[in-house]
Amino acid sequence: MPTDWTSLSFIIPPHSESFGLGPRLRPQTYLQRLTGHLDAAERAGLTGAFVYDFPVAMDPWLAAFDVLVHSARLQPVVAVRPHQESAGAVARRAADLAHRFGRPTHVNVVAGATRSSRAPGDLGDRVAARRRLASFAGEVREELARRLGPDSGRPLVFTPSSSTPGVVPADCVLLMARPRDRLVRDIARIRAEQGTDRIAMLVGLVVRETEEQAWEAAAELHPPDRRQEIAGRMFTAQVVSSEHTAGYALARERDVHDERLWYGAPARGIDAPKLVGSAGQVAGWLRSCAGAGVTDLIVDLPSAPDEFSRIGPVLGG
């Protein structure tokens, strides 16, 4: 039986030739790539499109506008950093886009994974930085409610999980996939601290007819890449996010956890781990995550639009 996810989302492709590498694509080339992913995602039953502030990326709000223009029902989820924008400006953009397109544009309040992406003052006192993140998220929610009312159609506020204590007001907390025993423990902690029922899990999916074919596809889709490995090491040296740090630690332990949670891609730690297996195997692993308390699913960076045709049945699409 398919899992009844509260929402199904994916991460839109970057504006560069590959993740964080290469020159920016020409606008028409990028739009062709983007619309291919959007069309395939909609056919597979996904409804959310996470827009991150990737290296070599356009402004996330502009990318969100492209998602709204070139899709029929997808709802962008835009990453914002408190030290770069005011809460009022964020709420106004989200509210205006909701009014303009008749569907929500949600907000993902992030601190930044690396030193260079965070405000300098946040690095010395993480608890104080967490309080500032909480204040910003609370202001965004209040301003959205003021502009749009408290109905269920208003934009939602997401925030990533963190090991730093402090409650951040959010409609949904996002975490990266991890071995299921750790997933159970961390979801219990998040719910106790944050008081939210919705937990979104970010994970890549490599699905094929058989397990052997899936592992062969994983190796073909993510071959050894010296540029990605160097970029990954550079990223690691700058990481301050507890989510990314935990992922790197798991990748150092071994490439595969829980039979099919794969950390062996050359960009390990930059993107989420990937579930590798047959449709039945991957669907079973995801059902166990739902049983552990995951309510929403985010598919990490599908390599090409045709991957959605394999992913859809696993998600219940």
Side-chain angles (χ1 to χ4, degrees), residues 6-257:
T6 301
S7 70
L8 287 168
S9 305
F10 73 108
I11 294 179
I12 68 167
H15 299 79
S16 53
E17 287 182 352
S18 60
F19 179 76
L21 294 173
R24 281 193 179 191
L25 297 175
R26 294 175 63 86
Q28 191 58 38
T29 303
Y30 172 69
L31 286 176
Q32 289 174 350
R33 176 199 273 181
L34 178 65
T35 54
H37 279 73
L38 300 180
D39 292 345
E42 287 193 313
R43 288 195 298 271
L46 284 79
T47 58
F50 273 72
V51 184
Y52 279 95
D53 191 5
F54 288 137
V56 200
M58 288 193 301
D59 181 271
W61 290 104
L62 181 56
F65 188 86
D66 284 335
V67 170
L68 290 162
V69 168
H70 295 284
S71 68
R73 67 174 185 275
L74 289 170
Q75 301 175 8
V77 186
V78 180
V80 300
R81 299 175 189 172
H83 66 284
Q84 294 180 334
E85 302 184 71
S86 71
V90 167
R92 181 180 180 182
R93 290 192 184 101
D96 286 353
L97 287 173
H99 176 72
R100 167 70 174 80
F101 289 95
R103 51 188 146 130
T105 291
H106 308 290
V107 177
N108 183 18
V109 179
V110 300
T114 61
R115 290 184 180 87
S116 59
S117 65
R118 296 196 179 190
D122 288 350
L123 299 173
D125 189 339
R126 294 191 179 188
V127 174
R130 184 78 172 161
R131 286 198 297 267
R132 285 191 288 273
L133 193 78
S135 175
F136 183 88
E139 290 175 23
V140 170
R141 295 181 84 194
E142 290 173 4
E143 185 65 12
L144 284 171
R146 187 186 72 80
R147 288 178 174 272
L148 296 173
D151 64 11
S152 59
R154 72 166 176 83
L156 303 178
V157 173
F158 293 72
T159 189
S161 171
S162 174
S163 62
T164 304
V167 176
V168 176
D171 300 290
C172 184
V173 174
L174 185 160
L175 48 71
M176 293 181 180
R178 60 203 67 190
R180 285 166 291 189
D181 59 339
R182 303 188 190 203
L183 188 68
V184 169
R185 179 194 66 200
D186 290 342
I187 288 176
R189 176 184 58 80
I190 291 167
R191 286 211 164 114
E193 289 180 357
Q194 299 296 117
T196 182
D197 290 330
R198 288 183 64 174
I199 305 289
M201 184 179 73
L202 172 64
V203 67
L205 302 176
V206 181
V207 182
R208 294 296 186 269
E209 186 173 345
T210 68
E211 181 176 14
E212 181 179 9
Q213 290 171 346
W215 284 111
E216 290 174 354
E220 292 172 0
L221 292 170
H222 307 281
D225 185 324
R226 182 165 176 76
R227 291 193 311 162
Q228 288 282 16
E229 291 168 358
I230 292 172
R233 287 198 294 270
M234 292 174 63
F235 185 83
T236 305
Q238 286 289 316
V239 159
V240 291
S241 158
S242 58
E243 279 286 289
H244 287 81
T245 300
Y248 283 135
L250 289 167
R252 286 194 296 270
E253 287 180 20
R254 53 184 180 275
D255 278 357
V256 181
H257 292 261

